[in-house]
């Protein structure tokens, strides 16, 4: 076993007693007071935040993730160092692009410490793409991803209407773009235009553009406001940063999903945005979009006139050709009189033969029926005479029955007043007083007295009436 021997001039022998002590003690006048970990962390936090209250850091995004709360967490790194970063929900929602690993950015914020892991981090207030090179890289990566989904496929493109009645325009209401579009439409073919005003760059622009495209697409066909037949998304020229809202994924998807044919007219002819790939047609400028949207009215009228003239000429030529063919056919056809002559002659012949046949038949019929007719004629006369006599006898009997004197022969008498009017009732007889009773062989005069049983007293006799006989008896 080894042993350690201390010499008389051991250097530890005269060392500071505080270093060698096992128990920590506070001594008067000591400037190094012991601090808690939290106190030290808080002191470091204040020092870092005071010293680095506003910093801009350039680096490549690494380990990007978005929490369910909406906050985003990532690291900024370069070839030698790494810095943790956090961006709270409000700032993350306003980002004009979608951060992803490998993208070089410039973060603006303040440094702070995170005591839970004893490290420091930057709280990002704004995040920008570091230069046009980085923006183009982001552009190409997003373009490749959306193309892989089929958003730019040719079969998704819709055919533009040849003559839209209503055109929807998504653009700034105050810029020169809308004036150029309206002026060009008025020159070419005046149309009804609905402007959906939006911001075309800056914070919130992408959300407004996407909302406008969705709004036009969702308009009903039979609503109070006429649904556009064509939509134009337009903006003037600018840098890639100025046009970046039209590279936003939400805008690109809105344009691709629009149910109305849509033209993208963003920037100048050399500018390209992802909105151009998603639209049904790309126009090099907003003015060109208006020219593509509608034809020139005067040219259209001229073409219609030309078509009408061509149609008239074609119809006239066809009519003339048909008339020539008809005349040629008419010349080849025989005359109607020539066609009808044989039939007319045959008709005349048949008519004559028919008349002769009828005369012959009638003559034969007269001969055949003359003898029976002569025999039948006297019989018919005798029968008609007998029938007439029978009707005469019946009428004679009816007349004799209805004659006024017929009841007298059956024992009745006719009572008349002084004027010869027949008396029908007892009351009339009493009122008349003097009455005449006529019998079949004469008349008797008398007077009627009143009472419960009226009586007739004989009057002076009258000579009997002369019997003239019955005109209807032999």
């Amino acid at each position: 076993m080894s042993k350690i021997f201390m010499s008389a001039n051991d250097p530890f022998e005269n060392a500071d007693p505080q270093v060698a002590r096992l128990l920590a003690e506070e001594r008067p006048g000591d400037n190094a007071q012991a601090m808690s970990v939290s106190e030290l962390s808080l002191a470091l936090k204040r020092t870092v935040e005071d010293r680095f209250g506003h910093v801009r850091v350039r680096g490549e995004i690494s380990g990007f993730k978005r929490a369910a709360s909406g906050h985003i967490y990532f690291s900024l790194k370069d070839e030698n160092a790494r810095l943790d970063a956090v961006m709270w929900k409000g700032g993350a929602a306003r980002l004009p692009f979608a951060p992803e690993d490998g993208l070089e950015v410039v973060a603006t914020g303040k440094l702070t410490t995170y005591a839970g892991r004893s490290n420091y981090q930057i709280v990002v207030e704004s995040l920008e793409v570091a230069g046009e090179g980085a923006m183009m890289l982001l552009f190409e990566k997003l373009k490749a991803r959306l193309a892989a989904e089929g958003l730019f496929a040719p079969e998704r493109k819709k055919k533009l209407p040849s003559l839209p009645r209503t055109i929807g325009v998504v653009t700034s209401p105050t810029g020169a773009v809308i004036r150029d579009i309206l002026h060009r439409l008025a020159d070419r073919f005046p149309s009804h235009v609905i402007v959906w005003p939006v911001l075309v760059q800056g914070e919130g622009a992408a959300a407004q553009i996407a909302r406008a495209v969705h709004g036009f697409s969702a308009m009903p066909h039979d609503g109070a406001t006429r649904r556009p037949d064509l939509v134009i998304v337009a903006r003037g020229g600018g840098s890639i940063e100025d046009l970046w809202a039209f590279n936003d994924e939400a805008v690109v998807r809105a344009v691709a999903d629009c149910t109305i044919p849509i033209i993208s007219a963003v920037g100048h002819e050399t500018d390209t945005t992802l909105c151009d790939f998603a639209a049904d047609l790309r126009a090099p400028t907003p003015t060109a979009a208006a020219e593509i949207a509608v034809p020139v009215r005067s040219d259209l009228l001229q073409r219609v006139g030309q078509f009408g003239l061509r149609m008239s000429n074609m119809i006239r030529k066809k009519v003339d050709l048909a008339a020539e063919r008809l005349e040629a056919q008419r010349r080849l056809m025989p005359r109607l009189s020539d066609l009808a002559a044989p039939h007319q002659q045959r008709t005349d012949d048949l008519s004559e033969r028919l008349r002769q046949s009828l005369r012959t038949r009638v003559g034969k019929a007269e001969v055949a029926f003359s003898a029976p007719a002569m025999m039948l004629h006297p019989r018919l006369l005798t029968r008609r005479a007998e029938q007439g006599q029978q009707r005469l006898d019946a009428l004679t009997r009816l007349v004799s029955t209805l004659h006024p004197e017929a009841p007298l022969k059956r024992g009745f008498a006719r009572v008349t007043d002084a004027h010869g009017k027949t008396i029908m009732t007892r009351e009339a007889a009493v009122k008349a007083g003097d009455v005449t009773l006529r019998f079949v062989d004469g008349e008797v005069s008398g007077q009627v007295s009143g009472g419960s049983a009226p009586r007739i007293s004989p009057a002076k006799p009258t000579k009997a009436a002369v019997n003239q006989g019955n005109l209807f008896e032999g």
Side-chain angles (χ1 to χ4, degrees):
M1 185 176 184
S2 302
K3 294 183 179 180
I4 298 177
F5 297 95
M6 302 294 292
S7 63
N9 55 356
D10 189 347
F12 292 96
E13 183 176 0
N14 297 321
D16 187 351
Q18 217 174 356
V19 175
R21 294 183 61 85
L22 179 61
L23 181 63
E25 294 182 358
E26 300 292 341
R27 296 186 178 184
D30 193 348
N31 292 327
Q33 299 292 324
M35 302 172 63
S36 67
V37 176
S38 298
E39 290 173 340
L40 180 58
S41 297
L42 181 59
L44 288 172
K45 180 180 180 68
R46 289 174 177 171
T47 301
V48 171
E49 291 181 354
D50 290 343
R51 174 63 181 83
F52 301 98
H54 179 79
V55 294
R56 284 172 57 83
V57 182
R58 179 170 181 159
E60 180 183 316
I61 294 178
S62 175
F64 178 85
K65 65 179 180 178
R66 188 183 298 271
S69 61
H71 309 319
I72 58 176
Y73 300 91
F74 55 95
S75 296
L76 295 174
K77 68 176 184 178
D78 58 18
E79 61 275 11
N80 297 318
R82 176 176 174 274
L83 173 64
D84 289 340
V86 59
M87 193 172 192
W88 307 128
K89 176 181 179 180
R94 295 191 299 269
L95 283 175
F97 64 96
E100 57 183 39
D101 288 353
L103 181 64
E104 188 174 11
V105 295
V106 174
T108 301
K110 62 179 181 179
L111 288 183
T112 185
T113 61
Y114 180 54
R117 290 197 297 266
S118 297
N119 62 354
Y120 63 95
Q121 62 184 11
I122 180 174
V123 178
V124 180
E125 297 174 355
S126 65
L127 199 62
E128 302 165 314
V129 179
E132 293 189 3
M135 294 188 74
M136 290 306 302
L137 177 62
L138 180 61
F139 176 93
E140 293 298 334
K141 293 179 68 173
L142 182 57
K143 176 184 174 182
R145 180 162 59 86
L146 296 180
E149 295 183 23
L151 264 66
F152 309 148
E155 56 269 19
R156 291 176 58 97
K157 309 298 183 183
K158 295 178 287 295
K159 185 179 179 180
L160 302 185
S162 58
L163 188 60
R165 295 176 56 188
T166 302
I167 300 175
V169 180
V170 179
T171 191
S172 171
T174 58
V177 169
I178 186 60
R179 293 195 298 271
D180 292 342
I181 291 176
L182 294 177
H183 180 72
R184 182 61 67 184
L185 291 176
D187 287 344
R188 293 175 64 84
F189 200 106
S191 306
H192 180 60
V193 178
I194 302 176
V195 179
W196 197 304
V198 296
L199 293 174
V200 292
Q201 72 179 72
E203 184 178 340
Q208 290 188 17
I209 297 169
R211 186 161 53 248
V213 174
H214 283 307
F216 275 135
S217 182
M219 289 180 66
H221 292 274
D222 55 351
T225 301
R226 178 173 173 81
R227 173 185 168 96
D229 304 308
L230 177 69
V231 173
I232 299 175
V233 178
R235 187 206 187 282
S239 65
I240 185 173
E241 182 180 3
D242 295 335
L243 305 179
W244 193 257
F246 297 91
N247 294 322
D248 187 87
E249 184 173 351
V251 173
V252 178
R253 291 188 181 276
V255 171
D257 295 337
C258 185
T259 57
I260 303 174
I262 190 166
I263 298 176
S264 175
V266 180
H268 297 304
E269 187 171 359
T270 56
D271 297 324
T272 303
T273 66
L274 295 180
C275 186
D276 298 333
F277 294 99
D280 298 304
L281 184 69
R282 175 186 179 267
T285 62
T287 303
E291 295 176 354
I292 294 172
V294 295
V296 179
R297 186 174 183 271
S298 58
D299 293 346
L300 192 62
L301 291 175
Q302 184 178 2
R303 290 179 61 190
V304 171
Q306 291 174 351
F307 288 149
L309 183 60
R310 291 174 58 186
M311 183 175 64
S312 299
N313 293 336
M314 185 180 298
I315 293 175
R316 185 171 58 254
K317 288 181 180 179
K318 285 185 176 293
V319 171
D320 293 342
L321 180 61
E324 292 177 0
R325 290 178 177 176
L326 182 61
E327 179 63 21
Q329 294 293 332
R330 187 189 66 79
R331 292 173 180 175
L332 295 175
M333 292 178 64
R335 291 182 298 177
L336 182 60
S337 58
D338 296 341
L339 292 174
H343 299 286
Q344 186 174 2
Q345 183 177 1
R346 179 172 174 78
T347 301
D348 294 341
D349 183 37
L350 291 175
S351 298
E352 183 61 26
R353 291 173 60 184
L354 179 62
R355 283 194 295 270
Q356 293 178 0
S357 177
L358 289 175
R359 284 196 296 268
T360 302
R361 292 289 299 273
V362 169
K364 290 181 180 180
E366 288 178 350
V367 173
F369 290 101
S370 59
M374 294 178 63
M375 296 177 62
L376 183 61
H377 186 65
R379 292 179 182 178
L380 291 175
L381 291 177
T382 302
R383 185 174 180 181
R384 291 185 66 182
E386 291 176 351
Q387 291 177 348
Q389 184 62 42
Q390 291 175 358
R391 291 182 62 190
L392 181 60
D393 293 343
L395 290 174
T396 301
R397 289 192 295 271
L398 179 61
V399 169
S400 63
T401 303
L402 298 176
H403 194 275
E405 302 295 332
L408 300 182
K409 293 181 179 182
R410 295 196 298 273
F412 293 94
R414 179 184 177 193
V415 181
T416 61
D417 58 10
H419 304 289
K421 184 179 180 180
T422 302
I423 297 174
M424 306 294 293
T425 63
R426 173 182 177 278
E427 181 181 359
V430 173
K431 184 176 180 180
D434 295 333
V435 297
T436 301
L437 279 69
R438 182 178 180 184
F439 296 94
V440 70
D441 56 349
E443 295 179 350
V444 176
S445 298
Q447 293 182 342
V448 179
S449 60
S452 58
R455 299 178 63 185
I456 302 176
S457 301
K460 58 182 180 179
T462 60
K463 62 181 180 180
V466 178
N467 187 7
Q468 296 181 354
N470 191 340
L471 296 177
F472 299 96
E473 293 180 357

